[in-house]
């Protein structure tokens, strides 16, 4: 299997995990899922950094499914009111970041709010996901540069 095909499979793994958890809750304890997927997503970011070609394109390609999912999430939970929300699109848009939900909760709790609001928690999970990928990407670029020198 070519490297590019493997990479597409890697990009689908967070979505597939989220879809599976939607049907079978608690496959992996949430904190364990956060650690495993955090390490995995960091590694995926590193792998995209090591691809040949334009770094900006590789970064964008690596976050393409994330961006589509995040835009669907914003559309359904920020721009659309409850009465007009498409439940199928809303459900699918949450799958991609589900393995990072624990980090969203951790960061949300720092706000010292007594209430729980799912939309900011999920938004934070999406942000953490892209930040982890970006850290892996930069780390991979540094690693690649030091190997060349």
């Amino acid at each position: 299997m070519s490297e590019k095909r493997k990479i597409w499979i890697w990009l689908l793994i967070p979505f597939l995990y989220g879809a599976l958890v939607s049907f079978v809750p608690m496959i992996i304890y949430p904190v364990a899922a956060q650690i495993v997927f955090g390490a995995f997503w960091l590694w995926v970011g590193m792998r995209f950094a090591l691809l040949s070609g334009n770094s900006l394109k590789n970064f964008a390609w690596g976050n393409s499914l994330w961006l589509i999912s995040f835009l669907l999430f914003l559309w359904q939970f920020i721009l659309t009111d409850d009465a007009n929300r498409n439940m199928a699109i809303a459900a699918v848009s949450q799958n991609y970041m589900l393995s990072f939900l624990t980090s969203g909760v951790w960061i949300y709790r720092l706000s010292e709010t007594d209430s729980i609001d799912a939309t900011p928690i999920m938004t934070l999970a999406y942000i953490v996901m892209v930040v982890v990928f970006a850290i892996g990407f930069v780390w991979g670029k540094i690693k690649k540069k030091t190997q060349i020198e």
Side-chain angles (χ1 to χ4, degrees), residues 62-132:
N63 286 290
S64 58
L65 295 179
W66 175 91
L67 181 60
I68 291 166
S69 184
F70 186 58
L71 291 174
L72 288 173
F73 170 79
L74 291 176
W75 171 39
Q76 290 300 305
F77 290 94
I78 306 293
L79 301 175
T80 305
D81 61 8
D82 292 342
N84 293 317
R85 185 170 296 146
N86 180 314
M87 296 311 283
I89 295 173
V92 167
S93 73
Q94 296 175 58
N95 288 343
Y96 207 70
M97 63 75 208
L98 206 53
S99 60
F100 283 82
L101 198 57
T102 300
S103 60
V105 171
W106 290 338
I107 295 169
Y108 184 79
R109 285 189 172 169
L110 294 175
S111 68
E112 298 180 16
T113 312
D114 290 334
S115 65
I116 299 279
D117 188 358
T119 302
I121 289 171
M122 290 185 283
T123 304
L124 288 167
Y126 269 112
I127 292 168
V128 169
M129 191 174 187
V130 77
V131 167
V132 168

Side-chain angles (χ1 to χ4, degrees), residues 31-42:
V31 173
Q34 176 64 72
I35 293 167
V36 168
F37 275 94
F40 171 72
W41 209 237
L42 187 77

